[in-house]
Amino acid sequence: MSSATPRWWQLAAYGLLGLPLAMAALPVYVQVASYYHLQYDTGLAMLGWVMFAARLLDTLQDPLLGHLIDRLQQVQRALTAGAVLLAAGFAGLWQAPVALLAPLLWLSLMLVVTYSAHSLLNIAYLAWGSRLSAQASHGSAPLLSATAWREGWGLLGLIIGSTIPATILSQPRAQIAGQMGSYSLAFAVLLGLTLLALLKLAPAWPPTIAPAPHWRSVLQQMRANHAFRHLLLPYLLNSCAVALPATLALFYISDQLQAAPLAGLFLGSYFIAAAAGLPVWTRLAQRYGALACWRGGMLLAIASFAGAALLGAGDVWLYGLICLGAGAALGADLAMPNVLLAQSIPPAHAPAAYYGVLTLLGKLALALSGLALPLLALLGYQPGQTAHIALPLVYAALPCLLKLLALLTLQRASPVLTPPLRSPA
């Protein structure tokens, strides 16, 4: 591979795959529970336990998938296999064959397929991006640019994934399954096109990277990497703070604000604000470093989102402002942890296993957020019940507390995370 700095269009082509990955992730994490509750009359508590179990099972495989990618050096094949399985699993989620299987059993199977495929695809994709700066003569600049393109396209995918499925779910019940089938088909086509762009137009995977050693050696390498270890706890806490509102957003908008028809608008504005803020965070990171920007994003998120715990029916304008502020903070959450991880991986270490651990923590946070549904049921909240104090506390107050804890642990970790971005070459 040439050492020339990748051109902007190559980095844009690399980032394109982030769009369908995000399009698939948001409906699965945010809207599946509401879909099965509305479409198949499944109980809230059982839905929460099914989602928790599927997500927890998924978390266990990520480091293994990362190690296999490093060990076998089959990045292109991993991407292709993951894309095929993801397209099939995502379509299956919205088309439960109720005459053959119980909806909860079908949901469990499709969640496992979809989560596993998404993991395989995403880990290989992140590992590919982490090596861009190793191929260039301009140090870490390609890494920041690739991250910005990836997260920017991803935010566009989140906007699509937040608005279109939310709009579909607001339609009459008889129309929902067919419209989600059309959405799944469009998703599959887009996934294939963006994967083709990655394989043919993006900077190539470096062919000189040696296969990873035995998994015991990989674990020893990661344990000895102080910067990597100090990144894990704040990342987990922060991921939990982001996952909780994502899981409960539709319930909060519908019952606390009594503004269900505006759900797509609220979610869309949140991700549009994140997309607008991402270039700002990237520029600030080039000047002040990724760590400082991540801290700033956490502070902005706490300041913006805390007020959601105090809102009630009809407070749509105030909630819209909260969505804009919290969305602007999201850009830092999306980009900066991956940049910090990339700069912490030594050049001799294979990267996919590291990203496997980081995605494991992200999915563990999602699994734990699924427990919010049975927790709310235990506290007496049921969907359709308005003005119940448990919903705003779990939706808003608890995530702000987790953000504060993440900020404090990140402050303690700063001595080993403060070095400026460097090339791993």
Side-chain angles (χ1 to χ4, degrees):
M1 179 68 186
S2 170
S3 61
T5 301
R7 298 181 179 180
W8 71 267
W9 57 266
Q10 292 178 295
L11 298 176
Y14 163 78
L16 271 172
L17 187 60
L19 194 157
L21 284 173
M23 280 180 62
L26 192 73
V28 174
Y29 294 140
V30 177
Q31 289 147 341
V32 158
S34 179
Y35 176 81
Y36 273 77
H37 178 71
L38 293 173
Q39 197 75 1
Y40 304 112
D41 297 320
T42 51
L44 183 67
M46 286 302 300
L47 272 174
W49 285 113
V50 166
M51 294 178 67
F52 170 73
R55 290 171 179 176
L56 190 60
L57 177 64
D58 184 33
T59 64
L60 302 178
Q61 67 185 343
D62 280 12
L64 175 61
L65 290 174
H67 178 63
L68 288 176
I69 293 170
D70 287 333
R71 185 81 171 174
L72 302 176
Q73 288 290 284
Q74 298 293 333
V75 177
Q76 292 86 348
R77 291 185 181 181
L79 289 165
T80 303
V84 171
L85 290 173
L86 179 58
F90 184 78
L93 275 173
W94 314 103
Q95 308 296 327
V98 293
L100 300 176
L101 288 175
L104 280 176
L105 178 58
W106 178 259
L107 173 63
S108 303
L109 294 174
M110 289 300 101
L111 283 176
V112 171
V113 172
T114 304
Y115 286 154
S116 300
H118 198 279
S119 293
L120 183 64
L121 190 57
N122 192 48
I123 293 169
Y125 181 47
L126 292 173
W128 190 314
S130 73
R131 289 308 191 192
L132 290 177
S133 59
Q135 307 170 35
S137 58
H138 287 232
S140 61
L143 174 61
L144 272 172
S145 298
T147 301
W149 279 110
R150 182 180 67 228
E151 301 304 335
W153 285 117
L155 285 169
L156 177 59
L158 288 173
I159 294 168
I160 296 172
S162 65
T163 54
I164 296 180
T167 302
I168 291 173
L169 290 179
S170 67
Q171 301 300 309
R173 180 171 175 174
Q175 301 177 17
I176 293 176
Q179 292 184 14
M180 285 305 301
S182 299
Y183 180 83
S184 300
L185 179 60
F187 163 76
V189 172
L190 184 60
L191 179 61
L193 292 175
T194 55
L195 178 61
L196 187 64
L198 173 66
L199 297 177
K200 299 299 183 181
L201 300 177
W205 174 258
T208 56
I209 294 179
H214 190 271
W215 64 268
R216 290 190 181 89
S217 299
V218 174
L219 288 178
Q220 290 175 356
Q221 289 175 346
M222 289 192 288
R223 279 199 298 265
N225 189 329
H226 295 291
F228 171 68
R229 288 193 292 107
H230 280 80
L231 183 63
L232 299 182
L233 181 56
Y235 181 80
L236 175 61
L237 291 170
N238 188 70
S239 296
C240 289
V242 174
L244 266 175
T247 301
L248 301 177
L250 294 182
F251 298 103
Y252 177 87
I253 294 169
S254 176
D255 293 343
Q256 188 69 18
L257 300 180
Q258 299 183 32
L262 299 178
L265 179 62
F266 286 137
L267 294 175
S269 64
Y270 174 71
F271 293 117
I272 289 172
L278 185 60
V280 178
W281 290 117
T282 302
R283 288 184 177 274
L284 290 173
Q286 291 172 344
R287 182 170 182 178
Y288 299 107
L291 180 61
C293 287
W294 196 18
R295 288 176 183 162
M298 289 184 184
L299 288 172
L300 178 59
I302 294 170
S304 301
F305 201 61
L310 305 176
L311 301 186
D315 291 332
V316 294
W317 287 105
L318 290 174
Y319 186 67
L321 293 175
I322 288 172
C323 289
L324 293 177
L330 180 64
D333 282 335
L334 292 174
M336 299 309 143
N338 285 321
V339 172
L340 288 169
L341 175 60
Q343 75 178 45
S344 74
I345 302 174
H349 293 194
Y354 281 90
Y355 282 99
V357 173
L358 204 69
T359 58
L360 180 152
L361 294 179
K363 289 179 180 179
L364 178 60
L366 288 168
L368 293 172
S369 73
L371 294 178
L373 296 175
L375 172 62
L376 286 173
L378 181 65
L379 294 174
Y381 165 77
Q382 293 295 327
Q385 181 179 359
T386 60
H388 195 286
I389 190 172
L391 182 58
L393 288 178
V394 178
Y395 172 76
L398 181 56
C400 287
L401 176 60
L402 292 171
K403 278 272 186 185
L404 182 59
L405 292 175
L407 187 62
L408 293 174
T409 57
L410 194 61
Q411 177 66 29
R412 295 180 59 186
S414 62
V416 295
L417 293 173
T418 48
L421 287 177
R422 56 172 175 79
S423 168

